[in-house]
Amino acid sequence: MSANTKLLSADNVKKLYTEGGDKYECKHFGCRNKETANAKHKKCGKCGNVKYCSRECQIADWPRHKRTCREWRKRILEDKNSTTNENDGFKRIFNFSTKYSPLCCSIAQHLFPIKTSRKGTIAMIYLQDLPEDCKFPRMEIESVGRADIKDIPGDFGTQCLQSVNRERKLVQDRGNDPNDVICALLSHPKTTSFIVLPFVLHGDTDPFKGTPTAAKTVINQFFDCEVDRIVRTINSLARGESKDLKSAKKCPAGPK
């Protein structure tokens, strides 16, 4: 385990990467089949950004996925045609989000532990550059916070609202609680690039239910401390530190 108590333990990291959020679930809402070391899911052949357990699930999910699929393909094409694709922009954020998705999901979950507080809100994750001698994507988290989507200006706010409403509607249409959805906005202010990541957390419970008012402040402080530990953990990994955590992050996909 990591000796640094300000970071998550290797066991915590491994658990998030094998069980956290919906990382290893088939992306067709309502399926929830888990990917395992012996039953690998297949990526969308167009964008490569989502996985499905079967061709049937991929076809059924296409009405939901087609819009985001086009957006991903457009950005990937723009990035390939860019002469600075190793130094800034979408490709770096995409790579960061792929590497640390379960940890970013945990940040969002701790920022919005009460399900009813998730409507109209989003987790903000601001990224900054690391030195050139660090490994790609050379990014770490500068700060995190909570935001009301209506207060986010420009394209950020428009795309956040569209993404959040789209995911909430799809979850609701399948008979689930739309407040299972948490979205995170990963933003790199230096290049004005950003990605909206939706997470669906089925079966999430309200940690404050039945809790005396006086205790809620303490619980909030605990969640804020956990967010700080997760951010420190991501940044330690991004800098190439904490080899035990790096090993835990590379555990086989899904529970066997």
Side-chain angles (χ1 to χ4, degrees):
M1 295 176 64
S2 175
N4 190 342
T5 57
K6 292 183 179 180
L7 305 180
L8 298 179
S9 69
D11 286 342
N12 289 153
V13 172
K14 184 174 183 179
K15 184 174 182 180
L16 284 172
Y17 272 81
T18 54
E19 302 174 15
D22 59 356
K23 179 175 174 60
Y24 295 109
E25 289 183 358
C26 173
K27 292 306 179 184
H28 172 40
F29 284 116
C31 175
R32 301 185 65 190
N33 279 339
K34 289 275 189 177
E35 181 180 26
T36 69
N38 299 322
K40 296 287 188 179
H41 291 179
K42 293 184 178 180
K43 291 182 179 179
C44 170
K46 295 181 181 293
C47 71
N49 190 46
V50 296
K51 289 184 175 183
Y52 299 98
C53 68
S54 67
R55 176 67 175 168
E56 291 74 19
C57 277
Q58 183 177 12
I59 292 173
D61 193 55
W62 180 243
R64 179 196 76 89
H65 176 58
K66 62 182 178 182
R67 181 171 180 176
T68 54
C69 187
R70 286 196 298 265
E71 292 172 358
W72 283 107
R73 280 183 287 156
K74 180 181 177 182
R75 289 192 180 191
I76 291 170
L77 181 61
E78 289 173 350
D79 185 74
K80 285 182 178 179
N81 293 331
S82 171
T83 58
T84 59
N85 62 353
E86 290 295 325
N87 298 313
D88 60 14
F90 176 76
K91 184 174 182 179
R92 294 174 64 199
I93 298 182
F94 175 77
N95 185 277
F96 185 95
S97 67
T98 301
K99 283 186 174 182
Y100 305 116
S101 175
L103 292 166
C104 289
C105 176
S106 190
I107 288 174
Q109 190 175 16
H110 282 86
L111 287 173
F112 296 103
I114 302 176
K115 295 176 70 170
T116 54
S117 69
R118 296 170 185 171
K119 184 177 181 180
T121 58
I122 197 164
M124 305 291 290
I125 301 178
Y126 295 100
L127 305 176
Q128 64 183 4
D129 291 337
L130 285 171
E132 289 294 325
D133 58 349
C134 290
K135 288 186 177 181
F136 189 81
R138 301 186 303 277
M139 285 180 167
E140 68 175 0
I141 296 177
E142 179 180 15
S143 62
V144 300
R146 308 168 182 86
D148 289 329
I149 298 175
K150 62 180 177 59
D151 295 332
I152 301 175
D155 288 344
F156 278 13
T158 301
Q159 292 198 28
C160 287
L161 185 61
Q162 290 174 348
S163 297
V164 171
N165 287 343
R166 181 168 61 242
E167 299 300 330
R168 286 177 63 89
K169 185 178 185 303
L170 287 164
V171 170
Q172 188 172 27
D173 288 347
R174 286 166 173 79
N176 296 312
D177 185 352
N179 290 322
D180 286 346
V181 176
I182 311 178
C183 286
L185 173 65
L186 274 63
S187 169
H188 185 226
K190 183 176 179 180
T191 61
T192 66
S193 299
F194 63 93
I195 286 177
V196 178
L197 295 180
F199 302 106
V200 183
L201 301 168
H202 298 294
D204 225 8
T205 57
D206 184 352
F208 295 95
K209 188 174 182 179
T211 303
T213 303
K216 291 182 179 180
T217 300
V218 176
I219 295 175
N220 272 323
Q221 290 173 346
F222 167 77
F223 282 128
D224 288 342
C225 286
E226 283 300 292
V227 168
D228 183 66
R229 290 179 68 209
I230 300 166
V231 169
R232 289 175 183 270
T233 299
I234 291 176
N235 289 349
S236 180
L237 288 165
R239 295 178 193 134
E241 303 165 351
S242 305
K243 292 183 179 179
D244 56 336
L245 300 183
K246 184 177 180 180
S247 177
K249 189 172 74 70
K250 290 185 177 180
C251 57
K256 293 183 179 180

